């Protein structure tokens, strides 16, 4: 199917910059991205409204720009006004439109910063979340009359783990916005304009850029490799595994805070520096025994190809376990963790080099789970026995509640939280 590319310039020229509704005729002519992971960035677009937020089971794009905010106002109405403005802007941006209606006055700043006027949506998704401190700050203050709606899974921070040196200033936050796209400029444009909208109501707490997806959420996406050169996330959940998503990713009606979180999830994030220079000097055999998989094929050391089930009882000719007990997959594989699954959506990151010339780079790990207490923290805790931990250092740690998708008729994301039924 051939579709003419649609850029913001086309929309602007047609005078349809008033929003999604105004451009419905244009939007309807475009190919909407599906769950198969197919690319084709000139026409790739995902619907903003739905049962679940986009950017979770959406086929993982190549670029991520994630920013956490601290809310500076104490006024509940101003917070709702921010979420309303953000939602309206995100719906436009993910449809390949300018952030808002054009201002005609040349004496005022333009509403849209303009750097992507010649580009289309590039598969942009925008995902919003709420941190624990939005409900009750570190002093116990209920700033927005939300404390009694704090989900129990969000009330508990992730306990201190092995090999971590957590920077509190680059962890947590009241709000989080995850923008993913096939074009880094499109993702930056989204965060830049949402940050402008937040001026006077919220300030940036920290930002993380990610590139080269290290996860496969689309049903037909191939497994990507991490900076150690191994396929990463072979056993991670994908969009077509609906029963497992229901069990391990989506908050259910009968879960804690299910009255407003049903259909949502929890985003767990860890920034993990990887010591590439040390890793690169390990023999291939030592690297593979650390991971528990063959480096080239991704198959388990017990034999077979990438998706062959790992046999943790198989032994080598010398009688040793083919997959060492302290290898990464032996400790984190779902079959070794009571069948617990995660939907992983991580990205590589690079922050340049350190003072010794070593790459300051690694994995920005993101997992979406139904309950971090049952589906994330226990698996993370087992990494203290993981020989891979010798080559990692955890630098940041965050958990956010991701409300369900915005339904038709709703005017802002998370409306169920603020307007009890």
């Amino acid at each position: 199917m051939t579709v003419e590319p649609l850029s913001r310039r086309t929309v602007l020229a047609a005078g349809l910059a008033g929003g999604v509704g105004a451009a419905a005729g244009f939007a309807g002519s475009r190919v909407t991205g599906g769950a198969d992971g197919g690319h084709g960035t000139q026409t790739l677009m995902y619907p903003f409204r739905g049962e679940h937020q986009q950017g979770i089971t959406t086929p993982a794009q190549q670029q991520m720009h994630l920013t956490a905010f601290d809310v500076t106002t104490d006024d509940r109405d101003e917070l709702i006004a921010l979420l309303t403005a953000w939602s309206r802007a995100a719906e436009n941006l993910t449809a390949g439109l300018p952030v808002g209606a054009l201002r005609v006055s040349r004496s005022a700043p333009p509403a849209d910063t303009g750097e992507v006027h010649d580009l289309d949506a590039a598969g942009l998704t925008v995902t919003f979340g709420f941190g624990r401190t939005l409900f009750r700050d570190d002093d116990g203050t209920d700033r927005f009359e939300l404390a009694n709606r704090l989900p129990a899974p969000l009330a508990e921070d992730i306990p201190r783990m092995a090999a971590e040196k957590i920077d509190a200033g680059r962890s947590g936050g009241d709000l989080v916005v995850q923008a993913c796209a096939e074009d880094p400029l499109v993702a930056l444009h989204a965060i830049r304009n949402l940050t402008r909208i937040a001026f006077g109501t919220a300030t940036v707490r920290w930002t993380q850029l990610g590139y080269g997806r290290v996860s496969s959420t689309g049903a037909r996406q191939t497994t990507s490799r991490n900076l150690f050169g191994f396929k990463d996330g072979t056993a991670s959940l994908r969009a077509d595994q609906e029963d497992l998503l229901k069990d391990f990713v989506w908050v259910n009606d009968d879960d804690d805070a299910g009255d407003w979180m049903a259909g949502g999830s929890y985003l767990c994030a860890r920034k993990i520096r990887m010591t590439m220079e040390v890793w690169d000097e390990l023999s291939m055999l030592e690297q593979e025994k650390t991971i528990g998989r063959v480096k080239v094929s991704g198959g388990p050391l017990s034999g077979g190809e990438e998706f062959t089930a790992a046999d943790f009882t198989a032994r080598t000719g010398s009688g040793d376990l083919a997959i060492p007990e302290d290898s990464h997959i032996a400790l984190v594989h779902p079959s070794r963790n009571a069948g617990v699954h995660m939907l992983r959506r991580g990205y590589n990151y690079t922050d340049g080099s350190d003072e010794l010339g070593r790459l300051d780079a690694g994995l920005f790990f993101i997992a979406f789970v139904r309950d971090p207490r049952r589906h994330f923290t226990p698996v993370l805790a087992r990494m203290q026995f993981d020989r891979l931990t010798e080559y990692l250092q955890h630098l940041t740690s965050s958990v956010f509640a991701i409300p369900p998708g915005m339904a038709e008729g709703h005017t802002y994301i998370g409306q169920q939280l603020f307007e009890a039924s």
Side-chain angles (χ1 to χ4, degrees):
M1 182 177 184
T2 301
V3 179
E4 290 297 322
L6 180 68
S7 71
R8 290 168 175 80
R9 173 179 287 179
T10 307
V11 176
L12 294 171
L16 294 172
V20 171
F26 276 82
S29 69
R30 306 182 71 181
V31 173
T32 299
D36 61 357
H39 288 173
T41 59
Q42 68 177 10
T43 56
L44 192 59
M45 184 173 66
Y46 300 104
F48 181 72
R49 293 176 185 263
E51 181 181 5
H52 313 296
Q53 285 198 63
Q54 54 180 202
I56 302 175
T57 57
T58 306
Q61 303 93 324
Q62 289 296 330
Q63 308 292 331
M64 179 207 73
H65 196 137
L66 186 147
T67 296
F69 294 82
D70 286 332
V71 177
T72 55
T73 182
D74 292 326
D75 188 310
R76 178 184 167 107
D77 291 338
E78 289 183 3
L79 172 60
I80 292 174
L82 171 62
L83 295 173
T84 303
W86 270 1
S87 301
R88 185 166 54 241
E91 190 163 19
N92 280 354
L93 292 169
T94 55
L97 300 172
V99 69
L102 292 178
R103 290 194 179 122
V104 295
S105 172
R106 299 180 68 85
S107 61
D112 190 294
T113 51
E115 65 270 38
V116 296
H117 277 350
D118 298 322
L119 304 177
D120 62 30
L124 174 69
T125 56
V126 180
T127 312
F128 297 99
F130 305 142
R132 175 184 57 78
T133 50
L134 188 73
F135 299 82
R136 187 173 58 221
D137 67 17
D138 291 334
D139 296 325
T141 302
D142 180 4
R143 292 184 292 166
F144 304 108
E145 302 174 25
L146 297 174
N148 64 349
R149 310 207 74 187
L150 171 65
L154 191 63
E156 298 181 17
D157 287 331
I158 296 174
R160 187 171 178 80
M161 298 292 172
E164 68 174 26
K165 187 178 180 181
I166 301 300
D167 182 346
R170 295 186 61 79
S171 302
D174 296 330
L175 303 168
V176 71
V177 181
Q178 173 195 261
C180 297
E182 300 298 347
D183 187 325
L185 189 60
V186 171
L188 178 145
H189 172 258
I191 292 294
R192 179 183 179 188
N193 281 275
L194 294 175
T195 301
R196 288 184 79 206
I197 292 170
F199 181 76
T201 307
T203 61
V204 171
R205 179 179 176 87
W206 55 270
T207 289
Q208 183 63 52
L209 304 183
Y211 64 92
R213 62 175 177 84
V214 191
S215 56
S216 307
T217 54
R220 288 188 290 174
Q221 283 186 309
T222 58
T223 307
S224 300
R225 295 180 186 272
N226 58 32
L227 294 180
F228 282 163
F230 279 78
K231 293 190 174 186
D232 205 333
T234 295
S236 176
L237 291 179
R238 303 188 185 218
D240 61 337
Q241 296 175 289
E242 294 182 4
D243 289 342
L244 290 174
L245 292 175
K246 182 178 179 181
D247 289 340
F248 296 106
V249 175
W250 305 128
V251 176
N252 290 191
D253 289 325
D254 55 356
D255 289 341
D256 190 82
D259 59 326
W260 70 270
M261 274 290 289
S265 188
Y266 292 90
L267 184 160
C268 305
R270 306 275 289 187
K271 184 175 182 177
I272 306 171
R273 183 173 178 179
M274 301 162 69
T275 55
M276 260 81 75
E277 290 78 5
V278 179
W279 178 263
D280 291 345
E281 296 307 312
L282 297 179
S283 68
M284 178 73 93
L285 176 62
E286 187 61 27
Q287 290 186 7
E288 292 182 338
K289 289 173 68 176
T290 300
I291 300 298
R293 291 188 179 277
V294 178
K295 188 165 188 175
V296 175
S297 70
L301 292 182
S302 54
E305 300 302 319
E306 180 189 353
F307 293 103
T308 301
D311 180 355
F312 295 103
T313 65
R315 294 188 177 273
T316 66
S318 60
D320 297 326
L321 285 171
I323 302 175
E325 277 290 316
D326 60 351
S327 66
H328 186 60
I329 69 165
L331 288 162
V332 304
H333 194 275
S335 65
R336 309 275 281 185
N337 288 277
V340 167
H341 290 263
M342 300 179 191
L343 186 142
R344 295 175 52 172
R345 217 172 192 285
Y347 287 86
N348 297 314
Y349 79 87
T350 304
D351 291 341
S353 301
D354 65 16
E355 66 279 4
L356 298 177
R358 299 171 302 193
L359 274 173
D360 185 356
L363 169 67
F364 192 75
F365 178 94
I366 294 176
F368 288 92
V369 298
R370 177 179 169 186
D371 186 336
R373 300 170 301 176
R374 294 186 290 134
H375 306 136
F376 179 72
T377 302
V379 179
L380 184 64
R382 281 173 57 80
M383 287 190 69
Q384 66 178 303
F385 308 110
D386 189 339
R387 70 164 70 181
L388 180 61
T389 297
E390 182 178 345
Y391 309 99
L392 308 176
Q393 185 171 53
H394 294 232
L395 302 176
T396 72
S397 181
S398 304
V399 180
F400 296 95
I402 306 298
M406 212 166 93
E408 294 298 333
H410 281 193
T411 55
Y412 63 95
I413 199 76
Q415 195 161 338
Q416 301 94 324
L417 169 63
F418 293 87
E419 301 175 14
S421 58

